[in-house]
Amino acid sequence: MAGIGTAHLRDGSLLRVEHMHVEFPVGGGRKVNAVTDVSIDVMEGETLGLVGESGCGKSTTGRAIMQLPHPTSGKVIFEGRDITSLSTEELRELRPKLQMIFQDPISSLNPRRKVKDIVSEPLSIWGKKLGSSNGPERVRQVMEDVGLDAEQVGDRRPHEFSGGQCQRISIARSLVLDPKLIICDEPVSALDVSVQAQILNLLEDMKTRYGLTLVFIAHDLAVVKNISDRVAVMYLGRVCEVAGADTLYNRPTHPYTAALLASIPEPDPSVKPNAGGLKGELPSPISPPSGCRFRTRCPNAQARCAEEIPVMREIEREHFVACHFPVDAPVAPSESQLLAAQPV
Amino acid sequence: MSESLLERSSARSSEHEQLLQVQDLKTYFPTPRGLVKAVDGVSFELERGKTLGIVGESGSGKSVLSRSIMRLLPRKTELHGQVMFDGRDLTNMKQAELRDVWGAEIAMVFQDPMTSLNPVMRIGPQITESIRHHLGVNKAEARETAIALLTSVGIPEPIRRLKEYPHQLSGGMRQRVTIAIALACGPRLLIADEPTTALDVTVQAQILDLLKVQQSERFMGMILVTHDLGVVAGRTDDIAVMYAGKIVEQAPTDELFADVKMPYTEALLQSIPRLSNHSHTRLQSIKGRPPDLVNLPKGCRFAARCPYVQDKCLAEEPPLIPITGKPDHLYRCWFPVGTAAGEAALESNRAAGKIDHEIDPAAAGEIIA
């Protein structure tokens, strides 16, 4: 899995990430290949789900899009501009359009500040430049929109609220500047299932109301399916499979996607837990396997998988997979076949 | 000590013995705000070789319940009721006596394997510590046992692992080590408190399978505490659903999923995003949040959030009663799901416009294209 290539990218996207690499030095000249040659894109008004196990690079991808940290190489094109080459000041000017919501709602809010100050701070930083006149009214409106009573809540501090309420405050803070794109990094994984449903519904509502584009990062495949239009599955720093949410879940073709789906415990006793599932552990991103990075755990792995990095290809309309030997799909043409097929 | 091992293997032959009987257990924590009633009158029984799933949201008291059985509680806690384990009442045992029960007869696996293992101690001594204490074997024998345990929980190269520290292992491997420690002295009851919550979904499946295999091989009783109904659905014999310190519904697993009686269980099941749904399916969320455990409401504890709520629910607390003809399916509700009374209650609330959906009523229950 874990392939390269840009066959799945579309024209006219709001955000386009091309061949992005993120590496972290770990001393001794070694480096962690957190994100390797990842290409993804999001159309305006779309929700892209990024899913994978811990350590697959999904959060790093989200952060690198925000330029926190800057990617080691590759392009991040937002509204037609490559933002990796912007100066600090230019990037700062762009920030109001790009917002982020984090996993732990309680630690992402300053415990000493009042809720109304937390929500209005982006405005007080940007208020003058963006020319928005009635700040307090805007704050009140956003808080009402996310289901908080501005009168009651404004003067309290984060510790007085539950996790779900804190996540609402975080969402209000990210919405107050009217952003184009919000990157949601595991926004519901710290919440109870009943509250999770509230927040997912809220994100859907806010997306419609504020005309948002979302990148939704999560490890829970059912949650990702629920909220996404398109889903990209990542493994060990690479993208394996990209498809529309319903397509991906109905017809997973990458062996990794299939294994992930099979491991989910269904809340239904008549569905017997899958005995097979994935064997083994995630290899080290310091020295990832050659060729396809999933081959060490893959039931379909063959010699070719160790030699050749699979390239993203379309196996049906709007369904892309980076695998030599996908499930229920034709084997990838080998390099020699590709060369032969090329018009001279 | 070999005597006690012999005893244990002979106990294996007698089936259907009640291993654990919890009677009206109450765990109250005195706080400056008042008494927090974390567990408030819970009763259940567990046979050897059976698995009980305890399900609930955060704050429902499920973890305090499991710690109350073990009596791993702060000193000032008020503990009432009975916990009969193998004919002995754990609630009035002395600390010294409890130490012989912990690890040897009842063992526990916790949520976060990094914090439940000692970070500055090698894996080997962490496993052999309890073996040497409880079983009185010598160092070499204990080491052999540790290697056998690590092998049985699926850790490759167990001899090398003995010398490693917890930070050198992945999350899944660490949880395997804590399971090995829990199993070390051959306990008869294993309490697993959210054992897979900190793990990835693929590793979760592996760990749950491991627990299942060990449980049936060793014929242990197991209590699986979790917030995830998906985790308990395929892997337990019975399920108890907890809400605000009480069991609100209890039944054999298949029965519970087939015939939900308590509106809370129904709401919990409906709020789970399912793979079988189309993307952008509107989720049924439960409005509001659980009650304050210091100032509990007078009637049913779920009443404030319940779509079936009637005046009676606010005034009187429903008892935990069985369904007629199904003595092992208990529920706590005046207007249960799927009955004439329940349907009528829901209908009257709908007619009165009391069932609200948050923020955007127009979008409720619909697919947003």
Side-chain angles (χ1 to χ4, degrees):
Chain A
M1 75 129 46
I4 52 174
T6 54
H8 56 293
L9 298 188
R10 299 157 293 181
D11 292 331
S13 47
L14 176 72
L15 174 79
R16 184 183 172 100
V17 176
E18 283 178 28
H19 306 290
M20 186 167 77
H21 292 251
V22 185
E23 291 161 358
F24 300 108
V26 285
R30 296 181 310 162
K31 56 185 196 281
V32 171
N33 302 283
V35 172
T36 309
D37 205 346
V38 161
S39 302
I40 49 171
D41 65 354
V42 197
M43 303 298 279
E44 184 149 7
E46 191 180 59
T47 301
L48 172 75
L50 270 185
V51 64
E53 293 176 271
S54 8
C56 74
K58 55 189 192 301
S59 289
T60 309
T61 303
R63 284 160 175 271
I65 292 171
M66 298 287 286
Q67 309 296 306
L68 300 164
H70 285 281
T72 314
S73 65
K75 285 184 187 169
V76 178
I77 301 163
F78 179 71
E79 289 185 321
R81 253 200 320 173
D82 183 6
I83 63 172
T84 52
S85 55
L86 295 185
S87 71
T88 314
E89 188 48 36
E90 283 172 320
L91 198 55
R92 222 179 80 79
E93 298 279 334
L94 194 71
R95 292 257 185 246
K97 288 185 178 175
L98 290 166
Q99 291 289 321
M100 199 153 179
I101 301 169
F102 298 93
Q103 173 170 0
D104 182 352
I106 294 164
S107 68
S108 62
L109 300 175
N110 186 337
R112 300 185 170 212
R113 306 197 65 196
K114 289 179 183 168
V115 169
K116 64 175 182 200
D117 297 333
I118 293 173
V119 177
S120 65
E121 180 157 41
L123 273 185
S124 55
I125 294 172
W126 287 103
K128 277 179 198 163
K129 280 188 179 171
L130 296 174
S132 86
S133 48
N134 44 357
E137 175 53 26
R138 171 80 184 158
V139 170
R140 199 195 59 77
Q141 183 59 44
V142 169
M143 283 170 69
E144 301 283 320
D145 285 349
V146 300
L148 297 169
D149 185 339
E151 300 291 310
Q152 283 186 20
V153 163
D155 286 317
R156 290 159 75 187
R157 288 185 171 79
H159 73 89
E160 297 175 64
F161 298 93
S162 64
Q165 298 284 87
C166 285
Q167 202 57 292
R168 285 175 195 273
I169 298 168
S170 299
I171 293 171
R173 176 176 60 181
S174 70
L175 288 174
V176 78
L177 288 175
D178 214 357
K180 295 284 272 190
L181 176 76
I182 299 187
I183 295 182
C184 311
D185 189 0
E186 302 260 15
V188 295
S189 50
L191 306 175
D192 269 317
V193 63
S194 64
V195 183
Q196 167 178 296
Q198 292 172 7
I199 297 295
L200 288 173
N201 286 344
L202 175 68
L203 281 171
E204 290 273 30
D205 293 336
M206 293 303 104
K207 189 185 150 194
T208 321
R209 182 165 304 183
Y210 287 80
L212 300 170
T213 303
L214 301 179
V215 174
F216 192 96
I217 301 165
H219 67 279
D220 186 325
L221 288 121
V223 166
V224 168
K225 178 180 180 186
N226 189 276
I227 200 160
S228 306
D229 300 301
R230 208 176 195 226
V231 177
V233 183
M234 288 186 70
Y235 183 81
L236 207 61
R238 287 207 173 126
V239 179
C240 326
E241 188 163 5
V242 180
D246 289 327
T247 313
L248 185 89
Y249 287 80
N250 290 338
R251 292 186 297 280
T253 45
H254 200 288
Y256 177 62
T257 315
L260 263 186
L261 286 173
S263 334
I264 302 175
E266 276 281 294
D268 179 355
S270 62
V271 180
K272 282 294 148 207
N274 186 287
L278 264 190
K279 300 274 183 292
E281 304 247 328
L282 203 67
S284 162
I286 295 173
S287 50
S290 64
C292 172
R293 289 191 174 176
F294 183 57
R295 68 178 166 84
T296 52
R297 299 167 80 189
C298 182
N300 298 2
Q302 300 188 20
R304 183 179 167 192
C305 302
E307 291 151 14
E308 213 183 300
I309 300 173
V311 177
M312 197 59 88
R313 63 194 171 102
E314 188 165 20
I315 47 151
E316 61 176 317
R317 219 176 86 76
E318 285 298 299
H319 189 169
F320 302 86
V321 69
C323 177
H324 298 309
F325 307 102
V327 186
D328 290 337
V331 171
S334 68
E335 275 171 33
S336 53
Q337 280 172 313
L338 279 176
L339 284 173
Q342 255 169 19
V344 186
Chain B
M1 278 306 154
S2 56
E3 249 178 3
S4 71
L5 279 175
L6 210 68
E7 263 174 35
R8 250 170 248 166
S9 55
S10 69
R12 204 169 278 215
S13 55
S14 59
E15 288 194 27
H16 297 299
E17 64 178 300
Q18 289 301 345
L19 181 66
L20 182 73
Q21 287 164 296
V22 175
Q23 247 335 300
D24 200 25
L25 190 69
K26 292 177 178 161
T27 312
Y28 297 163
F29 300 111
T31 68
R33 276 198 322 127
L35 212 53
V36 172
K37 297 181 175 175
V39 174
D40 199 11
V42 165
S43 306
F44 65 85
E45 292 177 350
L46 180 67
E47 279 175 28
R48 277 201 78 164
K50 294 276 183 190
T51 304
L52 171 73
I54 297 181
V55 186
E57 294 178 84
S58 3
S60 62
K62 57 191 193 303
S63 287
V64 175
L65 173 62
S66 59
R67 280 169 173 71
S68 304
I69 294 167
M70 288 282 267
R71 269 187 59 199
L72 293 173
L73 296 166
R75 197 161 294 158
K76 282 198 176 146
T77 314
E78 290 180 24
L79 186 68
H80 309 282
Q82 255 190 348
V83 178
M84 298 299 289
F85 176 74
D86 229 17
R88 288 166 297 166
D89 188 356
L90 297 181
T91 53
N92 55 28
M93 261 191 197
K94 291 198 184 77
Q95 284 289 316
E97 292 173 302
L98 277 171
R99 265 203 294 279
D100 290 332
V101 175
W102 289 337
E105 297 185 64
I106 307 179
M108 202 156 176
V109 176
F110 297 92
Q111 174 171 348
D112 182 356
M114 194 63 223
T115 53
S116 57
L117 291 171
N118 185 340
V120 294
M121 200 168 160
R122 293 177 202 272
I123 301 295
Q126 298 200 46
I127 301 174
T128 51
E129 192 180 28
S130 66
I131 303 177
R132 296 201 61 196
H133 176 82
H134 289 295
L135 306 182
V137 296
N138 68 31
K139 225 172 170 174
E141 282 173 311
R143 188 168 178 275
E144 287 308 309
T145 316
I147 293 169
L149 278 165
L150 287 180
T151 313
S152 76
V153 296
I155 291 187
E157 302 178 74
I159 297 171
R160 184 165 67 87
R161 295 296 184 189
L162 287 179
K163 288 195 182 139
E164 293 193 338
Y165 289 96
H167 75 265
Q168 292 171 286
L169 306 178
S170 68
M173 283 294 159
R174 276 180 218 142
Q175 197 61 297
R176 285 175 195 269
V177 170
T178 64
I179 292 171
I181 293 172
L183 298 175
C185 301
R188 277 173 292 168
L189 174 63
L190 183 67
I191 302 177
D193 188 358
E194 301 265 13
T196 58
T197 308
L199 306 174
D200 273 314
V201 61
T202 53
V203 183
Q204 163 169 293
Q206 295 170 4
I207 295 292
L208 291 172
D209 287 341
L210 170 67
L211 284 171
K212 182 93 199 150
V213 168
Q214 294 291 340
Q215 186 250 350
S216 51
E217 270 179 13
R218 292 163 186 264
F219 202 57
M220 294 182 294
M222 183 157 88
I223 298 178
L224 188 59
V225 179
T226 175
H227 68 279
D228 188 342
L229 275 161
V231 166
V232 288
R235 304 173 197 264
T236 54
D237 299 298
D238 294 276
I239 294 181
V241 180
M242 283 190 75
Y243 186 79
K246 290 202 169 193
I247 291 180
V248 292
E249 184 157 16
Q250 184 177 5
T253 304
D254 293 337
E255 164 71 20
L256 183 84
F257 281 89
D259 187 20
V260 170
K261 280 281 161 276
M262 174 71 194
Y264 175 65
T265 317
E266 186 191 41
L268 208 54
L269 277 167
Q270 284 173 347
S271 62
I272 304 175
R274 288 170 190 254
L275 285 176
S276 47
N277 290 347
H278 281 290
S279 78
H280 301 296
T281 302
R282 189 83 186 174
L283 295 169
Q284 299 284 315
S285 60
I286 309 176
K287 61 175 180 173
R289 46 182 174 136
D292 181 359
L293 294 174
V294 175
N295 300 306
L296 285 161
K298 195 170 146 219
C300 170
R301 294 178 180 189
F302 186 57
R305 306 172 77 191
C306 182
Y308 295 76
V309 63
Q310 299 293 307
D311 291 341
K312 188 179 185 184
C313 308
L314 299 169
E316 286 174 63
E317 182 165 17
L320 192 64
I321 51 164
I323 300 183
T324 338
K326 288 179 187 162
D328 52 359
H329 187 160
L330 306 166
Y331 66 98
R332 193 185 282 279
C333 183
W334 294 121
F335 301 95
V337 180
T339 62
E343 292 307 317
L346 190 61
E347 208 40 60
S348 74
N349 284 347
R350 253 194 213 125
K354 283 187 201 157
I355 299 178
D356 57 342
H357 288 279
E358 287 172 85
I359 299 167
D360 192 0
E366 284 169 14
I367 296 170
I368 311 162

PDB file of all heavy atoms in Angstrom, chain B residues 166-186:
ATOM      1  N   PRO B 166       8.979  -0.798  29.521  1.00  0.00           N
ATOM      2  CA  PRO B 166       7.698  -0.564  28.853  1.00  0.00           C
ATOM      3  C   PRO B 166       7.775   0.399  27.668  1.00  0.00           C
ATOM      4  O   PRO B 166       7.098   0.196  26.666  1.00  0.00           O
ATOM      5  CB  PRO B 166       6.825   0.018  29.960  1.00  0.00           C
ATOM      6  CG  PRO B 166       7.363  -0.575  31.211  1.00  0.00           C
ATOM      7  CD  PRO B 166       8.845  -0.691  30.983  1.00  0.00           C
ATOM      8  N   HIS B 167       8.633   1.444  27.745  1.00  0.00           N
ATOM      9  CA  HIS B 167       8.645   2.408  26.635  1.00  0.00           C
ATOM     10  C   HIS B 167       9.180   1.808  25.352  1.00  0.00           C
ATOM     11  O   HIS B 167       9.005   2.380  24.280  1.00  0.00           O
ATOM     12  CB  HIS B 167       9.459   3.653  27.021  1.00  0.00           C
ATOM     13  CG  HIS B 167      10.933   3.436  27.002  1.00  0.00           C
ATOM     14  ND1 HIS B 167      11.643   3.109  28.134  1.00  0.00           N
ATOM     15  CD2 HIS B 167      11.820   3.465  25.988  1.00  0.00           C
ATOM     16  CE1 HIS B 167      12.916   2.953  27.806  1.00  0.00           C
ATOM     17  NE2 HIS B 167      13.053   3.165  26.521  1.00  0.00           N
ATOM     18  N   GLN B 168       9.824   0.656  25.444  1.00  0.00           N
ATOM     19  CA  GLN B 168      10.357   0.028  24.236  1.00  0.00           C
ATOM     20  C   GLN B 168       9.298  -0.786  23.493  1.00  0.00           C
ATOM     21  O   GLN B 168       9.574  -1.300  22.417  1.00  0.00           O
ATOM     22  CB  GLN B 168      11.550  -0.865  24.594  1.00  0.00           C
ATOM     23  CG  GLN B 168      12.745  -0.060  25.076  1.00  0.00           C
ATOM     24  CD  GLN B 168      13.837  -0.945  25.637  1.00  0.00           C
ATOM     25  OE1 GLN B 168      13.713  -1.473  26.738  1.00  0.00           O
ATOM     26  NE2 GLN B 168      14.907  -1.099  24.877  1.00  0.00           N
ATOM     27  N   LEU B 169       8.119  -0.906  24.103  1.00  0.00           N
ATOM     28  CA  LEU B 169       7.062  -1.699  23.479  1.00  0.00           C
ATOM     29  C   LEU B 169       5.987  -0.787  22.898  1.00  0.00           C
ATOM     30  O   LEU B 169       5.793   0.331  23.362  1.00  0.00           O
ATOM     31  CB  LEU B 169       6.410  -2.624  24.512  1.00  0.00           C
ATOM     32  CG  LEU B 169       7.327  -3.548  25.302  1.00  0.00           C
ATOM     33  CD1 LEU B 169       6.499  -4.347  26.290  1.00  0.00           C
ATOM     34  CD2 LEU B 169       8.071  -4.477  24.367  1.00  0.00           C
ATOM     35  N   SER B 170       5.259  -1.297  21.900  1.00  0.00           N
ATOM     36  CA  SER B 170       4.124  -0.544  21.359  1.00  0.00           C
ATOM     37  C   SER B 170       2.946  -0.667  22.322  1.00  0.00           C
ATOM     38  O   SER B 170       2.953  -1.485  23.236  1.00  0.00           O
ATOM     39  CB  SER B 170       3.741  -1.114  20.001  1.00  0.00           C
ATOM     40  OG  SER B 170       3.200  -2.404  20.177  1.00  0.00           O
ATOM     41  N   GLY B 171       1.926   0.159  22.091  1.00  0.00           N
ATOM     42  CA  GLY B 171       0.757   0.149  22.969  1.00  0.00           C
ATOM     43  C   GLY B 171       0.108  -1.222  23.078  1.00  0.00           C
ATOM     44  O   GLY B 171      -0.252  -1.679  24.158  1.00  0.00           O
ATOM     45  N   GLY B 172      -0.026  -1.896  21.945  1.00  0.00           N
ATOM     46  CA  GLY B 172      -0.655  -3.214  21.945  1.00  0.00           C
ATOM     47  C   GLY B 172       0.177  -4.225  22.718  1.00  0.00           C
ATOM     48  O   GLY B 172      -0.337  -5.034  23.487  1.00  0.00           O
ATOM     49  N   MET B 173       1.508  -4.163  22.531  1.00  0.00           N
ATOM     50  CA  MET B 173       2.415  -5.078  23.238  1.00  0.00           C
ATOM     51  C   MET B 173       2.367  -4.814  24.739  1.00  0.00           C
ATOM     52  O   MET B 173       2.389  -5.744  25.542  1.00  0.00           O
ATOM     53  CB  MET B 173       3.848  -4.876  22.732  1.00  0.00           C
ATOM     54  CG  MET B 173       4.091  -5.517  21.395  1.00  0.00           C
ATOM     55  SD  MET B 173       3.974  -7.322  21.505  1.00  0.00           S
ATOM     56  CE  MET B 173       3.675  -7.722  19.819  1.00  0.00           C
ATOM     57  N   ARG B 174       2.305  -3.543  25.115  1.00  0.00           N
ATOM     58  CA  ARG B 174       2.229  -3.202  26.540  1.00  0.00           C
ATOM     59  C   ARG B 174       0.958  -3.779  27.156  1.00  0.00           C
ATOM     60  O   ARG B 174       0.970  -4.300  28.260  1.00  0.00           O
ATOM     61  CB  ARG B 174       2.181  -1.679  26.713  1.00  0.00           C
ATOM     62  CG  ARG B 174       3.528  -1.052  26.710  1.00  0.00           C
ATOM     63  CD  ARG B 174       3.346   0.456  26.877  1.00  0.00           C
ATOM     64  NE  ARG B 174       4.314   1.128  26.056  1.00  0.00           N
ATOM     65  CZ  ARG B 174       4.096   2.236  25.371  1.00  0.00           C
ATOM     66  NH1 ARG B 174       2.890   2.809  25.416  1.00  0.00           N
ATOM     67  NH2 ARG B 174       5.034   2.773  24.658  1.00  0.00           N
ATOM     68  N   GLN B 175      -0.154  -3.667  26.407  1.00  0.00           N
ATOM     69  CA  GLN B 175      -1.390  -4.201  26.952  1.00  0.00           C
ATOM     70  C   GLN B 175      -1.298  -5.727  27.061  1.00  0.00           C
ATOM     71  O   GLN B 175      -1.819  -6.319  28.000  1.00  0.00           O
ATOM     72  CB  GLN B 175      -2.590  -3.758  26.107  1.00  0.00           C
ATOM     73  CG  GLN B 175      -3.934  -3.901  26.782  1.00  0.00           C
ATOM     74  CD  GLN B 175      -4.077  -3.077  28.053  1.00  0.00           C
ATOM     75  OE1 GLN B 175      -3.350  -3.292  29.033  1.00  0.00           O
ATOM     76  NE2 GLN B 175      -4.981  -2.133  28.061  1.00  0.00           N
ATOM     77  N   ARG B 176      -0.587  -6.374  26.150  1.00  0.00           N
ATOM     78  CA  ARG B 176      -0.371  -7.823  26.268  1.00  0.00           C
ATOM     79  C   ARG B 176       0.422  -8.136  27.533  1.00  0.00           C
ATOM     80  O   ARG B 176       0.168  -9.131  28.208  1.00  0.00           O
ATOM     81  CB  ARG B 176       0.382  -8.361  25.041  1.00  0.00           C
ATOM     82  CG  ARG B 176      -0.486  -8.457  23.806  1.00  0.00           C
ATOM     83  CD  ARG B 176       0.330  -8.866  22.588  1.00  0.00           C
ATOM     84  NE  ARG B 176      -0.408  -8.624  21.368  1.00  0.00           N
ATOM     85  CZ  ARG B 176      -1.201  -9.520  20.781  1.00  0.00           C
ATOM     86  NH1 ARG B 176      -1.326 -10.715  21.295  1.00  0.00           N
ATOM     87  NH2 ARG B 176      -1.862  -9.226  19.691  1.00  0.00           N
ATOM     88  N   VAL B 177       1.398  -7.269  27.838  1.00  0.00           N
ATOM     89  CA  VAL B 177       2.187  -7.485  29.050  1.00  0.00           C
ATOM     90  C   VAL B 177       1.294  -7.341  30.290  1.00  0.00           C
ATOM     91  O   VAL B 177       1.356  -8.176  31.203  1.00  0.00           O
ATOM     92  CB  VAL B 177       3.382  -6.504  29.117  1.00  0.00           C
ATOM     93  CG1 VAL B 177       4.057  -6.560  30.482  1.00  0.00           C
ATOM     94  CG2 VAL B 177       4.387  -6.819  28.029  1.00  0.00           C
ATOM     95  N   THR B 178       0.441  -6.326  30.337  1.00  0.00           N
ATOM     96  CA  THR B 178      -0.414  -6.170  31.518  1.00  0.00           C
ATOM     97  C   THR B 178      -1.377  -7.350  31.642  1.00  0.00           C
ATOM     98  O   THR B 178      -1.707  -7.768  32.746  1.00  0.00           O
ATOM     99  CB  THR B 178      -1.218  -4.845  31.507  1.00  0.00           C
ATOM    100  OG1 THR B 178      -2.111  -4.866  30.411  1.00  0.00           O
ATOM    101  CG2 THR B 178      -0.333  -3.640  31.417  1.00  0.00           C
ATOM    102  N   ILE B 179      -1.789  -7.898  30.505  1.00  0.00           N
ATOM    103  CA  ILE B 179      -2.651  -9.083  30.564  1.00  0.00           C
ATOM    104  C   ILE B 179      -1.854 -10.268  31.108  1.00  0.00           C
ATOM    105  O   ILE B 179      -2.341 -11.022  31.953  1.00  0.00           O
ATOM    106  CB  ILE B 179      -3.265  -9.391  29.179  1.00  0.00           C
ATOM    107  CG1 ILE B 179      -4.253  -8.292  28.805  1.00  0.00           C
ATOM    108  CG2 ILE B 179      -3.955 -10.751  29.166  1.00  0.00           C
ATOM    109  CD1 ILE B 179      -4.770  -8.355  27.386  1.00  0.00           C
ATOM    110  N   ALA B 180      -0.594 -10.391  30.676  1.00  0.00           N
ATOM    111  CA  ALA B 180       0.261 -11.467  31.195  1.00  0.00           C
ATOM    112  C   ALA B 180       0.422 -11.337  32.713  1.00  0.00           C
ATOM    113  O   ALA B 180       0.360 -12.333  33.440  1.00  0.00           O
ATOM    114  CB  ALA B 180       1.624 -11.428  30.508  1.00  0.00           C
ATOM    115  N   ILE B 181       0.607 -10.093  33.177  1.00  0.00           N
ATOM    116  CA  ILE B 181       0.750  -9.874  34.617  1.00  0.00           C
ATOM    117  C   ILE B 181      -0.542 -10.265  35.332  1.00  0.00           C
ATOM    118  O   ILE B 181      -0.529 -10.929  36.375  1.00  0.00           O
ATOM    119  CB  ILE B 181       1.114  -8.401  34.912  1.00  0.00           C
ATOM    120  CG1 ILE B 181       2.509  -8.089  34.369  1.00  0.00           C
ATOM    121  CG2 ILE B 181       1.036  -8.102  36.405  1.00  0.00           C
ATOM    122  CD1 ILE B 181       2.896  -6.632  34.433  1.00  0.00           C
ATOM    123  N   ALA B 182      -1.667  -9.875  34.760  1.00  0.00           N
ATOM    124  CA  ALA B 182      -2.953 -10.182  35.378  1.00  0.00           C
ATOM    125  C   ALA B 182      -3.174 -11.696  35.452  1.00  0.00           C
ATOM    126  O   ALA B 182      -3.744 -12.204  36.418  1.00  0.00           O
ATOM    127  CB  ALA B 182      -4.078  -9.508  34.592  1.00  0.00           C
ATOM    128  N   LEU B 183      -2.704 -12.407  34.430  1.00  0.00           N
ATOM    129  CA  LEU B 183      -2.958 -13.850  34.389  1.00  0.00           C
ATOM    130  C   LEU B 183      -1.934 -14.649  35.188  1.00  0.00           C
ATOM    131  O   LEU B 183      -2.104 -15.846  35.407  1.00  0.00           O
ATOM    132  CB  LEU B 183      -2.926 -14.336  32.938  1.00  0.00           C
ATOM    133  CG  LEU B 183      -3.973 -13.751  31.989  1.00  0.00           C
ATOM    134  CD1 LEU B 183      -3.711 -14.242  30.570  1.00  0.00           C
ATOM    135  CD2 LEU B 183      -5.381 -14.145  32.423  1.00  0.00           C
ATOM    136  N   ALA B 184      -0.864 -13.967  35.633  1.00  0.00           N
ATOM    137  CA  ALA B 184       0.303 -14.669  36.174  1.00  0.00           C
ATOM    138  C   ALA B 184      -0.021 -15.683  37.259  1.00  0.00           C
ATOM    139  O   ALA B 184       0.520 -16.776  37.278  1.00  0.00           O
ATOM    140  CB  ALA B 184       1.316 -13.640  36.689  1.00  0.00           C
ATOM    141  N   CYS B 185      -0.910 -15.356  38.181  1.00  0.00           N
ATOM    142  CA  CYS B 185      -1.168 -16.269  39.300  1.00  0.00           C
ATOM    143  C   CYS B 185      -2.437 -17.077  39.105  1.00  0.00           C
ATOM    144  O   CYS B 185      -2.990 -17.618  40.061  1.00  0.00           O
ATOM    145  CB  CYS B 185      -1.237 -15.481  40.602  1.00  0.00           C
ATOM    146  SG  CYS B 185       0.266 -14.589  40.912  1.00  0.00           S
ATOM    147  N   GLY B 186      -2.933 -17.122  37.881  1.00  0.00           N
ATOM    148  CA  GLY B 186      -4.118 -17.918  37.612  1.00  0.00           C
ATOM    149  C   GLY B 186      -5.353 -17.430  38.343  1.00  0.00           C
ATOM    150  O   GLY B 186      -5.981 -18.177  39.096  1.00  0.00           O
TER     151      GLY B 186
END
